[in-house]
């Protein structure tokens, strides 16, 4: 505050509004509460100050309201890199089970659930597979495991993979990880499972990614016996390109690759970053797939949960839904719940999953950080007439077989750059404070120190008006009690009677008591006998 000037202001207390107005750094107060009588000039200044303060408060309320709406904006950027982690590539044959691996015991347990076969149709179906019917006295196994069926009867990568190269270097089935999906037994390249080092690439374009040649084995496809939702009419493989943290949902997101073609897939990495509530709706908390969570070990220490992904959340949600409805899980689902039996597959699990997908009852927010891959596809026919005979000799297959069963797949980065899609807060707290400070300076010419001056003035008013009132009241009560005591002592004097039997004794000396008060001194004379 400005120093007090003038003898008149020096005599006024600090709680006087005129002293505060003349010394405050807020503009206009000195003209409103200055010395002098009420005038038109003072009224105009008062109206200007009130209007400025009202406008300032309105602008502050608008800025606070806008901040509490938690707006966000999305920034798109493209960045260069000298090395990129190659994505995980999951492959599934469209045919889930090989006909040569099915047995009468498999048909007894899973024929109705997987193929829609009645028991009376088993002999005819086995003959269609080129197998003899079950012998008389056939006894099925007492138990049956669906996961073991898919592991044993699913297509083997050792038989399907004809050639594999990554960045020009040979690769093989040992570079793939077996994984189960709703399509059956599948294989993932560069999965990073069990702590395996992730493969990277330093160049873009064809020949700098994954090049594979596959045999789809059409002769192993199951005959279409009856039309149902699980009946595949196409031939080829399904491919999904995804990050290592994200589980493949290949039955919904996979690309179709057909035999007789070489398919080129050009990828570009995209890194997405979303904001958590209240600015966005992303989440980073993983969903436990177990319907009733149990400790992962006897000591009860929690096992590390995988990073949150959108597909992982949906898969965990489906697992919990099936476990709650059926008391089991499908063989590709995570968790510790027992795998469903074939009868549970048919009567409960499949209908529950289909109904859940139709209702879209899994509310999974976007992950706060994720990686996805934009893809562009192109294809050419193989083999050419000039190369058909060479490939037939190289693969020891007929030209007709190669045309109907062999495909080539080339996956690569278009360039060593990646896109970032990032949500940012549209209005930060620092921007809110800056706007309030700007409005404060524009309309009332104040700052943060002005607020401190106002608080200091309020403290002075509280001390002088409120505390001073109670101090004066207490002082007046003490003064009143002192006056009452003085009046009582002045009226209480001892009178001694005169005796007629003898002469009057001399008056004894007086004891003088002096009592001091706040304004004067009083002397009382007390007579003693």
């Amino acid at each position: 505050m400005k120093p007090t000037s003038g003898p008149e202001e020096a005599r006024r207390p600090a709680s006087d509004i005129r002293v505060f107005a003349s010394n405050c750094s807020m503009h206009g107060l000195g003209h409103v509460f200055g010395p002098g009588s009420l005038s038109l000039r003072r009224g105009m200044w008062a109206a200007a100050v009130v209007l400025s303060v009202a406008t300032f408060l309105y602008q502050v309320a608008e800025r606070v309201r806008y901040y509490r709406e938690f707006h966000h904006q999305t920034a798109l950027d493209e960045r260069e890199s000298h090395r990129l982690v190659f994505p995980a590539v999951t492959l599934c044959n469209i045919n889930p089970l090989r006909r040569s691996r099915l047995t009468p015991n498999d048909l007894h347990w899973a024929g109705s659930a997987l193929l829609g076969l009645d028991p009376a149709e088993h002999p005819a179906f086995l003959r269609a597979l080129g197998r003899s019917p079950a012998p008389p006295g056939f006894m099925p196994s007492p138990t049956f495991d669906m996961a073991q069926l898919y592991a044993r009867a699913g297509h083997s990568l050792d038989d399907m993979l004809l050639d594999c190269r990554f960045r020009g270097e040979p690769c093989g089935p040992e570079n793939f990880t077996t994984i189960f999906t709703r399509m059956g037994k599948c294989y993932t390249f560069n999965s990073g499972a069990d702590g395996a080092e992730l493969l990277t690439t330093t160049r873009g374009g064809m020949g700098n990614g994954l090049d594979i040649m596959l045999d789809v084995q059409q002769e192993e496809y199951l005959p279409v016996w009856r039309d149902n939702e699980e009946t595949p009419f196409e031939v080829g493989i399904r491919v999904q390109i995804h990050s290592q943290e994200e589980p493949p949902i290949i039955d919904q997101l996979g690309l179709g690759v057909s035999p007789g073609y070489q398919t080129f897939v050009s990828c570009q990495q995209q890194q997405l970053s979303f904001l958590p509530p209240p600015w966005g709706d992303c989440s980073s908390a993983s969903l436990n797939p177990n319907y009733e969570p149990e400790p992962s070990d006897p000591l009860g220490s929690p096992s590390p949960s995988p990073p949150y992904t959108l597909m992982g959340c949906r898969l965990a949600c489906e697992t919990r839904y099936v476990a709650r409805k059926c008391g089991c899980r499908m063989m590709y689902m995570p968790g510790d719940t027992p795998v469903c039996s074939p009868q549970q597959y048919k009567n409960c699990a499949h209908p529950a999953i289909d109904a859940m997908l139709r209702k879209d009852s899994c509310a999974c927010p976007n992950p706060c950080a994720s990686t996805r891959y934009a893809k562009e596809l192109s294809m050419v026919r193989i083999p050419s007439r000039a190369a058909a005979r060479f490939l037939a000799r190289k693969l020891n297959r007929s030209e007709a077989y190669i045309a109907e069963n062999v495909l080539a797949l080339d996956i690569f980065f278009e360039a060593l750059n990646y896109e970032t899609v990032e949500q940012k807060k549209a209005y930060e707290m620092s921007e809110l404070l800056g706007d309030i400070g700007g409005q404060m300076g524009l309309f009332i010419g104040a700052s943060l120190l002005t607020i401190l001056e106002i608080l200091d003035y309020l403290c002075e008013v509280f001390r002088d008006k409120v505390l001073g009132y109670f101090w004066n009241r207490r002082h007046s009560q003490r003064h009143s009690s002192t006056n009452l005591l003085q009046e009582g002592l002045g009226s209480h004097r001892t009178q001694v009677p005169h005796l007629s039997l003898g002469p009057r004794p001399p008056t004894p000396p007086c004891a003088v008591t002096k009592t001091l008060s706040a304004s004067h001194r009083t002397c009382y004379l007390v007579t003693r006998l």
Side-chain angles (χ1 to χ4, degrees):
M1 300 176 69
K2 301 177 183 178
T4 305
S5 61
E8 182 179 355
E9 291 185 357
R11 290 192 299 269
R12 292 173 183 163
S15 60
D16 194 317
I17 185 63
R18 288 172 293 180
V19 175
F20 170 74
S22 62
N23 298 324
C24 182
S25 59
M26 180 176 172
H27 295 179
L29 289 183
H31 297 282
V32 178
F33 298 99
S37 60
L38 183 63
S39 62
L40 177 62
R41 176 176 176 272
R42 179 173 295 187
M44 295 178 64
W45 270 107
V49 169
V50 171
L51 182 62
S52 298
V53 171
T55 306
F56 163 68
L57 295 178
Y58 172 77
Q59 293 294 334
V60 169
E62 283 295 311
R63 291 292 86 192
V64 172
R65 180 193 62 79
Y66 181 77
Y67 175 78
R68 291 183 61 83
E69 290 177 353
F70 304 107
H71 294 277
H72 69 265
Q73 57 188 6
T74 303
L76 177 63
D77 191 14
E78 187 168 347
R79 301 177 184 178
E80 294 184 359
S81 177
H82 298 290
R83 182 183 297 270
L84 287 177
V85 175
F86 199 76
V89 180
T90 299
L91 312 170
C92 296
N93 199 312
I94 291 177
N95 180 60
L97 300 171
R98 290 178 288 178
R99 62 193 301 168
S100 63
R101 296 302 179 97
L102 287 181
T103 65
N105 186 66
D106 298 332
L107 292 181
H108 171 81
W109 285 101
S112 177
L114 301 181
L115 304 174
L117 297 176
D118 296 328
E121 298 176 313
H122 290 179
F125 188 80
L126 287 172
R127 283 192 293 268
L129 297 180
R131 311 285 296 278
S132 58
F138 166 74
M139 293 295 294
S141 61
T143 59
F144 191 80
D145 192 334
M146 292 288 288
Q148 292 183 3
L149 169 65
Y150 279 97
R152 172 175 52 82
H155 286 266
S156 173
L157 188 63
D158 295 332
D159 300 330
M160 289 196 304
L161 189 62
L162 302 178
D163 187 39
C164 177
R165 290 184 179 274
F166 179 74
R167 295 177 56 188
E169 298 295 329
C171 55
E174 65 276 3
N175 299 107
F176 290 78
T177 304
T178 303
I179 184 173
F180 290 96
T181 68
R182 195 174 183 185
M183 295 188 66
K185 188 177 182 181
C186 303
Y187 303 91
T188 301
F189 177 80
N190 195 32
S191 66
D194 301 327
E197 183 179 359
L198 297 180
L199 301 176
T200 60
T201 182
T202 57
R203 295 179 59 185
M206 290 186 294
N208 296 288
L210 177 64
D211 302 326
I212 57 175
M213 182 175 288
L214 295 172
D215 180 2
V216 298
Q217 299 178 315
Q218 278 204 67
E219 75 280 0
E220 290 284 3
Y221 276 43
L222 295 176
V224 178
W225 196 260
R226 183 175 287 109
D227 185 11
N228 56 49
E229 294 183 0
E230 302 295 328
T231 301
F233 294 101
E234 62 274 13
V235 60
I237 64 170
R238 298 289 288 272
V239 181
Q240 183 177 353
I241 301 172
H242 55 96
S243 65
Q244 281 74 20
E245 294 82 12
E246 188 175 13
I249 309 295
I250 199 166
D251 59 304
Q252 302 176 30
L253 304 177
L255 305 172
V257 182
S258 176
Y261 290 91
Q262 180 171 4
T263 304
F264 302 93
V265 183
S266 174
C267 303
Q268 185 180 32
Q269 188 183 92
Q270 295 177 334
Q271 295 184 1
L272 290 80
S273 177
F274 297 99
L275 290 173
W279 293 273
D281 59 351
C282 79
S283 175
S284 57
S286 299
L287 181 64
N288 192 334
N290 294 320
Y291 178 57
E292 295 181 354
E294 297 181 357
S296 56
D297 54 61
L299 298 179
S301 60
S303 59
S305 58
Y308 175 83
T309 59
L310 183 60
M311 295 298 104
C313 174
R314 290 182 180 177
L315 187 59
C317 179
E318 293 175 4
T319 304
R320 293 169 65 93
Y321 185 82
V322 172
R324 183 173 64 251
K325 290 288 186 180
C326 310
C328 60
R329 63 180 176 88
M330 303 178 80
M331 56 92 186
Y332 65 90
M333 293 179 172
D336 302 328
T337 310
V339 178
C340 296
S341 65
Q343 197 66 23
Q344 289 175 316
Y345 257 78
K346 178 182 178 181
N347 297 334
C348 186
H350 277 305
I353 285 294
D354 294 337
M356 184 180 186
L357 294 178
R358 284 193 299 267
K359 294 187 297 183
D360 194 18
S361 55
C362 283
C364 288
N366 289 320
C368 293
S370 63
T371 302
R372 69 182 183 188
Y373 298 90
K375 298 170 283 291
E376 293 182 0
L377 276 71
S378 61
M379 59 185 64
V380 295
R381 284 291 303 267
I382 61 166
S384 65
R385 292 181 180 179
R389 185 172 299 177
F390 171 79
L391 284 179
R393 292 197 307 266
K394 179 182 177 181
L395 303 177
N396 195 21
R397 299 288 195 275
S398 66
E399 295 182 16
Y401 182 91
I402 292 175
E404 293 182 356
N405 292 276
V406 175
L407 62 86
L409 179 63
D410 191 355
I411 301 174
F412 55 90
F413 281 119
E414 179 181 358
L416 285 187
N417 54 21
Y418 61 94
E419 291 182 352
T420 60
V421 181
E422 182 179 5
Q423 282 186 350
K424 296 182 178 180
K425 300 176 184 177
Y427 199 57
E428 299 272 5
M429 175 62 73
S430 59
E431 296 176 291
L432 173 63
L433 296 178
D435 284 349
I436 292 177
Q439 303 291 346
M440 187 184 299
L442 175 64
F443 289 103
I444 60 178
S447 65
L448 180 62
L449 295 180
T450 306
I451 299 176
L452 297 180
E453 291 178 353
I454 296 175
L455 294 177
D456 179 71
Y457 169 70
L458 295 177
C459 290
E460 293 290 343
V461 171
F462 179 79
R463 187 186 68 178
D464 292 349
K465 302 298 183 181
V466 180
L467 297 183
Y469 168 77
F470 288 104
W471 187 85
N472 292 333
R473 182 178 179 183
R474 183 179 179 184
H475 177 72
S476 62
Q477 290 178 352
R478 293 177 60 185
H479 185 67
S480 300
S481 62
T482 302
N483 292 338
L484 291 175
L485 178 62
Q486 292 173 357
E487 293 176 1
L489 291 177
S491 61
H492 182 72
R493 299 187 176 197
T494 305
Q495 297 181 357
V496 182
H498 295 281
L499 299 177
S500 60
L501 296 179
R504 183 176 179 178
T507 302
C510 297
V512 180
T513 304
K514 296 180 179 181
T515 304
L516 298 178
S517 66
S519 58
H520 60 280
R521 179 178 298 176
T522 307
C523 177
Y524 296 97
L525 182 65
V526 181
T527 305
R528 295 183 303 175
L529 293 178

